[in-house]
Amino acid sequence: MRMPDKGRAVVAVETLGWWAGLTLLWVVLISSVDVLEAGVGAGAAAVGAWAARAARRAAAER
């Protein structure tokens, strides 16, 4: 089944919002930011954004 373009945009914006929020939280909570920590934080935030979107979608289908 193909997702409509509007649906893809909503998914992208939601995931990007979660990622930005979680990345910001990571930066605020660590004491110093270097390239490695920024990369790890961005990766961890991407996983968290994916999980948050999946959880919201599962809750919405109930």
Side-chain angles (χ1 to χ4, degrees):
M1 182 184 330
R2 191 169 169 199
M3 184 182 295
D5 289 337
K6 184 178 179 183
R8 287 183 188 160
V10 169
V11 168
V13 168
E14 180 183 359
T15 305
L16 184 61
W18 274 108
W19 176 81
L22 291 171
T23 300
L24 180 64
L25 180 64
W26 177 279
V27 169
V28 167
L29 293 178
I30 61 175
S31 59
S32 63
V33 180
D34 64 11
V35 176
L36 180 60
E37 287 178 342
V40 169
V47 172
W50 175 80
R53 181 175 179 329
R56 193 203 55 79
R57 183 176 173 198
E61 290 179 0
R62 290 190 115 201

